[in-house]
Amino acid sequence: MSISTAAGVFDAVTAGPPDGRPVLLLHGFPLTGLVWRRQIAALAAAGHRVVAPDQRGYSPGVRPERAEDYRIGLLVADVLAITEELGWPTFDLVGHDWGGAVAWWTAVGHPGRVRSLTVVSTPHPGALAEALRSDDDQRARSQYMRDWRETPATERRMLADDAKLLRSLYGEKVPRASADAYVRHLTRPGALTAALNWYRSGRPDGEIDVVKVPTLYVWSTGDTAFGPGPARETGRWVDAPYRFEILPDLGHWIPEEAPETLSRLLLDHLRAHGGRNQRAPLTVDDDGRH
């Protein structure tokens, strides 16, 4: 599916009945919307309309060259533009890794649009900012974010020797076929630099506030990027029904490592916070375009 916005054309994976309750899934680095394929299948089987876009820089049709064009405000604007183009007045929002950061900022800034929020791995940006000031463990875990701002040296290191370093980021628990698909996507001209520009775009404009929509936060004890400090403090940044699920002995790639568990938690969260089922006025033609 292609979704045309003022910023450009986003590629997306879609599934489920056109009039189902809408759910938007946001991926992180170094992934694509395909990371959600098993959650997409579970949500669609439960009657939801699911869209998982390749975000800014990952979709060739939305790949600006400047790092400043990947600021968080623009990434949030992409979420709003995509859902408006889909005809979704409200939607459930799910994000992992960088997609989780975008999801937090979107829910804070636009609680009238977001029915419920689910974030996987990524703590609330406020909790993470506090940890980066006072938590030596989290500062050490986040060193890679500073390292990856170096350009073009980071790209050269990641792509050298058949993208050995890039492949190593997925670890042993991500299926080889999945890792191969992500690497193929990111080794296309300009793709990896665009993805790394998320790290190079600079600080957000302004401070983030508390979330005021029902929130599920899923974190794993083996996550190398986000430690227990900001994960446990995230609840202080939610002024709404909040569920914190800790998955033991899993790494950072929860959608790939524990797809059935994550799908179950997500469906439970959506059932618990259904509200009025606003159905999207969406039509689909034979080639899957809306």
Side-chain angles (χ1 to χ4, degrees):
M1 181 183 194
S2 298
I3 304 171
S4 297
T5 71
V9 179
F10 290 88
D11 300 329
V13 182
T14 64
D19 64 345
R21 174 175 163 181
V23 183
L24 189 73
L25 302 165
L26 303 177
H27 69 85
F29 178 89
L31 309 167
T32 69
L34 287 174
V35 71
W36 299 110
R37 63 196 177 281
R38 283 168 285 189
Q39 288 75 47
I40 290 169
L43 289 165
H48 295 279
R49 178 62 174 174
V50 193
V51 174
D54 289 348
Q55 294 201 78
R56 177 177 291 237
Y58 295 83
S59 284
V62 194
R63 188 171 286 166
E65 295 182 359
R66 302 184 309 167
E68 56 264 37
D69 289 329
Y70 295 83
R71 300 188 311 276
I72 195 69
L74 294 173
L75 304 175
V76 171
D78 289 343
V79 171
L80 301 179
I82 287 169
T83 53
E84 287 166 3
E85 179 66 21
L86 292 169
W88 294 359
T90 61
F91 54 95
D92 298 285
L93 183 58
V94 183
H96 169 252
D97 188 81
W98 259 112
V102 176
W104 284 117
W105 281 93
T106 303
V108 167
H110 305 275
R113 299 287 310 280
V114 178
R115 186 202 308 269
S116 75
L117 174 67
T118 299
V119 177
V120 184
S121 301
T122 313
H124 185 285
L128 181 59
E130 289 181 349
L132 290 173
R133 289 191 293 268
S134 61
D135 184 339
D136 289 340
D137 173 70
Q138 186 56 54
R139 280 200 293 268
R141 291 172 186 261
S142 296
Q143 179 60 42
Y144 73 94
M145 296 186 186
R146 294 181 283 274
D147 295 342
W148 289 354
R149 292 172 188 163
E150 185 181 357
T151 182
T154 301
E155 287 89 327
R156 288 198 299 265
R157 287 195 299 269
M158 285 191 175
L159 297 178
D161 193 15
D162 191 30
K164 182 178 180 180
L165 177 57
L166 178 59
R167 289 178 185 278
S168 72
L169 299 179
Y170 304 107
E172 297 179 354
K173 295 183 179 179
V174 175
R176 177 63 181 271
S178 297
D180 287 345
Y182 303 139
V183 170
R184 281 196 302 272
H185 190 93
L186 289 169
T187 52
R188 293 168 183 161
L192 183 57
T193 294
L196 288 168
N197 276 341
W198 288 52
Y199 295 93
R200 298 164 176 165
S201 61
R203 294 183 178 275
D205 298 327
E207 300 292 328
I208 196 167
D209 204 345
V210 299
V211 174
K212 295 186 177 181
V213 301
T215 298
L216 167 66
Y217 175 42
V218 184
W219 174 77
S220 47
T221 59
D223 194 315
T224 57
F226 301 114
R232 296 187 183 281
E233 287 298 303
T234 286
R236 297 196 304 106
W237 291 85
V238 181
D239 184 17
Y242 178 64
R243 181 177 178 182
F244 179 32
E245 285 287 336
I246 300 175
L247 304 185
D249 303 322
L250 294 178
H252 182 68
W253 315 110
I254 293 174
E256 291 275 16
E257 295 182 48
E260 294 82 8
T261 298
L262 180 57
S263 295
R264 175 179 55 79
L265 291 170
L266 178 53
L267 286 167
D268 286 348
H269 183 57
L270 295 179
R271 282 192 291 267
H273 303 288
R276 185 165 62 91
N277 189 8
Q278 298 182 13
R279 295 180 179 269
L282 186 69
T283 59
V284 180
D285 60 23
D286 291 339
D287 68 356
R289 296 175 183 270
H290 71 283

